[in-house]
Amino acid sequence: MKILFLNGPNLNLLGTREPQVYGKTTLGDIEALVRKQATARGASVDFRQTNLEGELVGWIQTAKGQFDVIVLNAAAYTHTSVALRDAIAATGIPTIEIHLSNIHAREEFRHKSLIAGVCRGQIAGFGANSYLLGLEAAINIIEPAKK
Ligand code: DQA
């Protein structure tokens, strides 16, 4: 089971960035939690962050044949990026959209996700736990497919 976690812009600032919205857990802390649970579940994980839209597009494209599932927190690009949506649709890799915050309970411009329609599902609002729920959702997609 190979799972690719991708993180978009400003998520490198977690811990100090708007802690009232995103909590005090850093992205490094979240990665450690994900790796621990992945090991316990027999999954291998690659965990990346970038502030660049094109880099995310490139990583999604090259994930084909390398990873079973992508767990994606596209951050602000969730609400703006047709390119990310097209990359997910083009590669056909099952992708799970995740967010720390409940985007539907926030400003109106965050209610719309341009990637939701090409993702298997969306997990939002559980803080760092959204990543662990994303991992479980990914494993649930892979396990039946391999039986
Ligand atoms: C986010 C929500 C987005 O609206 C925002 O732009 C982010 C983080 C989240 O994880 O809650 O950067 O994806």
Side-chain angles (χ1 to χ4, degrees), residues 9 17 22 73 75-76 79 99-101 103 106 110:
R17 174 193 182 199
Y22 298 114
N73 186 349
H79 317 294
H99 301 282
L100 295 144
S101 63
I103 55 174
R106 298 184 62 195
R110 295 185 204 275

Side-chain angles (χ1 to χ4, degrees), residues 32-121:
L33 289 170
V34 166
R35 287 195 181 282
K36 194 170 169 217
Q37 188 164 318
T39 304
R41 302 286 270 112
S44 82
V45 156
D46 201 332
F47 198 97
R48 305 178 194 166
Q49 189 273 332
T50 179
N51 293 323
L52 304 178
E53 183 178 15
E55 192 154 31
L56 284 172
V57 169
W59 284 341
I60 292 166
Q61 288 181 3
T62 54
K64 199 170 170 62
Q66 310 263 348
F67 293 93
D68 298 304
V69 176
I70 296 173
V71 180
L72 173 62
N73 186 349
Y77 293 137
T78 304
H79 317 294
T80 63
S81 181
V82 176
L84 273 186
R85 181 195 174 97
D86 287 351
I88 296 163
T91 57
I93 300 176
T95 300
I96 299 161
E97 175 182 357
I98 65 164
H99 301 282
L100 295 144
S101 63
N102 180 358
I103 55 174
H104 304 286
R106 298 184 62 195
E107 304 96 319
E108 195 155 349
F109 67 86
R110 295 185 204 275
H111 296 182
K112 178 78 189 160
S113 164
L114 295 188
I115 62 172
V118 292
C119 288
R120 288 292 185 96

Side-chain angles (χ1 to χ4, degrees), residues 128-142:
N129 210 26
S130 290
Y131 283 76
L132 298 178
L133 293 168
L135 174 65
E136 287 304 316
I139 292 168
N140 273 277
I141 289 171
I142 300 164

